[in-house]
Amino acid sequence: MDKYFQAAEVINSAYDVPSTYKLGMKYDYMMIYDDDITAVLRSIHLYRHFKQSNAELKLVLVGGEGLLNIAFKVMRFSFRCRCCSLASRRLQKETEAMRLKRVALELGVKEEDIIVSDQGHNTTENLQAMSKIADGKKTLVVSTQRLAMIFKQSADYQCNRYPECFNCQKFDYDMMVIHQSVQDILRWYNFQAAGNGRVALHFFASLVRRFEVYDNKFLTKPFEPSAEVMAADALLRPRFLIKQRLTGWQKLRALMQYIPILWSVFLNAEEYLIDENVAIEEAQHMHPTVKHPKDK
């Protein structure tokens, strides 16, 4: 698998996005746009920093059901098969945004400072909600590296170039991008390690194609891929891209690609719970909650 992970790293590095936030800026909203709790774990220190200069700062958590919904069903089934009722009860039914909220609360964010936006079913619906919540106010958007370019090119196109076409508002935002290598991404708490890393490899197998297919429709392609990126895409796409809306034998082939992923989730259900707890404890240790005088 090494050659596939190396190819994924080529694509991951090519589509990296620099952070643009400024420590002296006053932000009215800090929005977590991600399906990975890493975005909360690694940005909580910034939330506290900006909260000191603006007590009205709100933390907005964005995300629908997605992969989380399917994975939780598989893990609950796994626990029931093994009569692990206690572990099964720990798997709360929650959207991606509600999971981000649960982690934020554990890291000391007050519930009244949190806004949950979990009704979106795709990027456009999420951008509609985000831009309307911001309503023209300065916003800091947090994203992990693998999703940052998709967000930036989509937000700039749908919110700031053609807002009327997409029912969005102008979106004045800076970004905090959590830079990660492909190996950093491979954790159980975000399911990217499932199927021996096939979930992560599927994502990177889809990235070049996404910008090709949606260019000037839902986003702008940021650049023409280099020969190295195209070679990496050619290696990953035929093997790991799980295509949607197929029929006949193509649909059967796509379904077969899910088997090692779902089987891996079934076998490693405990690893998810353990890894999530470890990650939260690490963040609590690295960024301990500081109580303000009025909270004591």
Side-chain angles (χ1 to χ4, degrees):
M1 295 286 283
D2 284 351
K3 66 178 180 179
Y4 300 117
F5 287 120
Q6 290 170 6
E9 189 59 65
V10 169
I11 295 173
N12 183 47
S13 298
Y15 288 91
D16 194 9
V17 175
S19 296
T20 57
Y21 70 90
K22 303 172 184 65
L23 291 176
M25 181 66 68
K26 179 183 176 183
Y27 293 104
D28 294 289
Y29 296 97
M30 179 169 160
M31 299 190 178
I32 309 291
Y33 176 83
D34 219 291
D35 57 4
D36 187 342
I37 62 171
T38 300
V40 175
L41 300 173
R42 297 271 295 274
S43 68
I44 195 67
H45 65 292
L46 272 189
Y47 171 78
R48 292 174 183 161
H49 169 82
F50 290 118
K51 188 73 172 174
Q52 289 178 350
S53 58
N54 179 15
E56 300 303 314
L57 175 69
K58 299 297 183 184
L59 183 66
V60 181
L61 306 171
V62 183
E65 291 187 341
L67 173 65
L68 191 69
N69 188 44
I70 299 172
F72 273 26
K73 288 179 180 178
V74 173
M75 288 190 294
R76 287 194 189 95
F77 180 64
S78 174
F79 286 135
R80 284 198 296 269
C81 289
R82 286 177 277 176
C83 300
C84 299
S85 58
L86 177 60
S88 182
R89 287 196 297 270
R90 291 178 61 192
L91 287 174
Q92 305 175 33
K93 185 177 181 180
E94 54 190 2
T95 60
E96 290 167 354
M98 289 301 294
R99 185 182 181 216
L100 296 174
K101 176 183 177 180
R102 173 167 56 81
V103 174
L105 290 172
E106 292 194 51
L107 296 178
V109 181
K110 294 181 179 180
E111 186 157 12
E112 59 265 30
D113 288 332
I114 296 176
I115 298 173
V116 171
S117 176
D118 61 358
Q119 299 304 304
H121 295 90
N122 52 49
T123 302
T124 296
E125 291 182 5
N126 286 330
L127 288 173
Q128 289 169 351
M130 294 169 74
S131 64
K132 289 173 183 177
I133 290 171
D135 195 24
K137 295 180 179 179
K138 193 68 176 179
T139 300
L140 173 61
V141 175
V142 178
S143 173
T144 53
Q145 179 174 336
R146 65 187 174 88
L147 296 176
M149 185 67 82
I150 295 173
F151 172 82
K152 179 180 182 301
Q153 298 305 112
S154 300
D156 289 348
Y157 189 85
Q158 297 184 36
C159 297
N160 294 331
R161 287 185 63 185
Y162 303 108
E164 297 86 2
C165 295
F166 293 95
N167 192 27
C168 292
Q169 293 187 22
K170 290 284 186 177
F171 198 14
D172 184 9
Y173 71 93
D174 289 335
M175 291 194 71
M176 177 203 178
V177 179
I178 299 168
H179 304 285
Q180 296 177 291
S181 69
V182 173
Q183 289 300 319
D184 291 336
I185 293 169
L186 301 179
R187 295 288 297 261
W188 270 107
Y189 70 67
N190 60 14
F191 299 107
Q192 297 299 311
N196 195 25
R198 282 180 172 83
V199 173
L201 292 173
H202 159 67
F203 174 81
F204 290 111
S206 71
L207 199 55
V208 175
R209 178 182 180 274
R210 185 182 188 116
F211 287 110
E212 289 173 349
V213 172
Y214 295 137
D215 184 36
N216 287 319
K217 296 176 182 177
F218 297 98
L219 49 69
T220 303
K221 184 165 61 174
F223 51 78
E224 289 299 328
S226 66
E228 184 183 24
V229 169
M230 292 303 294
D233 178 66
L235 181 64
L236 294 177
R237 196 188 300 194
R239 185 178 179 89
F240 296 104
L241 178 63
I242 302 176
K243 298 179 181 178
Q244 308 296 322
R245 300 186 181 91
L246 301 178
T247 58
W249 70 269
Q250 292 179 323
K251 187 174 183 179
L252 177 62
R253 179 183 178 276
L255 291 174
M256 292 294 289
Q257 289 176 284
Y258 281 107
I259 292 176
I261 294 173
L262 297 179
W263 180 243
S264 178
V265 172
F266 178 89
L267 290 178
N268 294 279
E270 294 94 341
E271 291 299 321
Y272 163 81
L273 292 174
I274 294 169
D275 199 30
E276 183 184 79
N277 287 337
V278 168
I280 293 171
E281 288 174 3
E282 288 174 347
Q284 289 171 332
H285 178 73
M286 185 175 298
H287 306 294
T289 302
V290 177
K291 291 188 176 181
H292 297 286
K294 66 179 181 179
D295 298 327
K296 293 180 178 179

